[in-house]
Amino acid sequence: MAILVTGAAGFIGYHLSERLLARGEAVIGLDVVSDYYDVQLKEARLARLSGKPGFSFLRMDIADRAAMSGLAARHPEITRIVNLAAQPGVRYSLENPRAYVDTNVVGFLEILELARHLKRLDHLVYASSSSVYGGNTKLPFAIEDPVDAPLSLYAATKKADELMGHCYSHLYRLPATGLRFFTVYGPWGRPDMSAFIFTKAILAGEPIPVFNNGQMKRDFTYVDDIVSGVVACLDRPPADDGKTPPHRVYNIGNNNSEDLLRFIRVIEQACGREAKIQFKPMQAGDVPETFADIEATKRDFGFVPTTSIDEGIPRFVEWYRDYHKA
């Protein structure tokens, strides 16, 4: 038996693969290693995984229909899938919308097709996003809230994934769970995320852009907490009662909405330097606040995040300085 982790060269995929390998699982990593951000960082993550017992790697694109079509026959040992491969980022979706449809919609369809053709599939877990809540003003965001008014194409593709997951679960009785991730940060993080952008600029003495004139709040979630939630979910597939589809959706966040300016102050303290802030207006597609209601995730998986930004940010800055020799 093996677990397929797509997006294994990515931030969360790398950490998840490490955790699964540490508990003795066989992990098949899959990633196209796109150039959306620094390929060297992705290759460095892969290099750390490659030497570990139980890890194998497939360099391929989940949207490549020809490559994906034979995967079930070539790897019948796959019994669980965690699909983290995606084109991320709200702002980039304004520049390159086709990349989001290609990976997040067409690619996810190929994952669903793989899942239904495997001889045995115990559970498909896939990444959704807090972005699906769009302009909701009710806080915290709960899974029962309406999510039919996305503010970005990225959000729309993630909502499409949830609908497609539900459909395939209904048609083929696939046990599937979508996880709406809230802003994830930590060591080996993505260069397009705020913790990385701010740390890099502060250490270089460069200005940092802060949108909506600083009136922003985010449910920042440390990567180790996210991985703990994913693993707990993976181990508990939805039961099939023969009536409703064995499909569910959960929030996975820190359950704490932090003021962005406080987040920056914690980075300043960890860097030992002051930030040069450039206030800017709200950017199209963005939202002023995110805040995860995780009561269902606690109830069903025992998920309790334990890492505050006061603990997590210094760990990230320490990794950043070590990796970049800064």
Side-chain angles (χ1 to χ4, degrees):
M1 297 187 294
I3 302 170
L4 176 68
V5 177
T6 72
F11 173 35
I12 301 173
Y14 159 70
H15 283 281
L16 174 63
S17 296
E18 274 207 326
R19 181 78 65 86
L20 293 172
L21 291 166
R23 73 173 195 174
E25 303 279 7
V27 174
I28 300 173
L30 186 155
D31 205 300
V32 70
V33 192
S34 76
D35 61 359
Y36 167 64
Y37 64 80
D38 183 11
V39 171
Q40 289 186 338
L41 177 58
K42 297 181 179 183
E43 295 288 2
R45 295 181 188 129
L46 280 177
R48 291 171 62 89
L49 292 173
S50 295
K52 296 182 182 294
F55 183 77
S56 58
F57 183 65
L58 302 172
R59 192 177 294 261
M60 57 188 290
D61 185 349
I62 62 169
D64 184 340
R65 182 177 177 183
M68 292 291 292
S69 63
L71 201 58
R74 295 194 302 274
H75 292 279
E77 72 274 21
I78 296 172
T79 56
R80 286 173 287 173
I81 300 173
V82 182
N83 183 56
L84 301 174
Q87 176 57 60
V90 169
R91 290 162 192 159
Y92 185 60
S93 68
L94 302 174
E95 303 172 28
N96 190 2
R98 289 179 177 84
Y100 289 77
V101 174
D102 289 346
T103 301
N104 300 357
V105 180
V106 176
F108 188 55
L109 174 62
E110 295 303 329
I111 291 295
L112 291 169
E113 281 291 292
L114 165 66
R116 82 177 183 97
H117 285 107
L118 286 167
K119 291 182 178 179
R120 170 185 164 190
L121 180 76
D122 294 335
H123 199 185
L124 165 63
V125 176
Y126 63 91
S128 185
S129 169
S130 62
S131 294
V132 301
Y133 290 106
N136 281 15
T137 56
K138 170 189 162 293
L139 294 167
F141 297 155
I143 55 173
E144 298 82 13
D145 293 343
V147 289
D148 53 1
L151 299 184
S152 68
L153 183 65
Y154 169 65
T157 62
K158 286 301 184 179
K159 176 57 181 174
D161 287 351
E162 294 181 5
L163 294 171
M164 292 162 66
H166 183 278
C167 177
Y168 266 64
S169 183
H170 165 72
L171 291 172
Y172 307 110
R173 313 313 296 178
L174 295 179
T177 304
L179 296 176
R180 293 174 178 170
F181 292 144
F182 284 67
T183 314
V184 188
Y185 74 98
W188 296 95
R190 282 178 16 218
D192 63 327
M193 297 293 284
S194 57
F196 200 112
I197 292 170
F198 296 162
T199 299
K200 179 181 179 181
I202 290 170
L203 290 175
E206 298 172 351
I208 61 175
V210 177
F211 294 97
N212 201 32
N213 298 307
Q215 302 302 304
M216 304 280 279
K217 300 182 78 173
R218 288 290 182 269
D219 196 322
F220 294 104
T221 314
Y222 191 65
V223 66
D224 286 357
D225 289 334
I226 286 286
V227 168
S228 294
V230 173
V231 172
C233 170
L234 183 63
D235 289 344
R236 296 169 177 82
D240 187 354
D241 62 6
K243 300 175 184 177
T244 58
H247 176 269
R248 17 174 225 195
V249 175
Y250 292 92
N251 287 334
I252 182 164
N254 201 41
N255 193 220
N256 184 32
S257 191
E258 292 280 3
D259 187 282
L260 183 61
L261 294 179
R262 187 177 109 75
F263 184 73
I264 293 170
R265 287 195 296 272
V266 176
I267 297 176
E268 288 177 320
Q269 292 167 4
C271 291
R273 300 184 190 181
E274 189 172 335
K276 299 176 182 178
I277 296 176
Q278 285 186 342
F279 289 114
K280 296 192 173 187
M282 178 71 91
Q283 192 161 19
D286 219 339
V287 297
E289 183 171 1
T290 64
F291 186 1
D293 179 333
I294 60 171
E295 288 307 309
T297 326
K298 287 181 182 179
R299 180 194 67 225
D300 293 350
F301 306 135
F303 172 67
V304 179
T306 60
T307 311
S308 68
I309 62 171
D310 301 280
E311 300 171 85
I313 285 298
R315 295 178 196 169
F316 170 76
V317 172
E318 181 182 11
W319 167 81
Y320 181 94
R321 297 185 107 151
D322 178 66
Y323 180 79
H324 292 279
K325 309 300 183 227

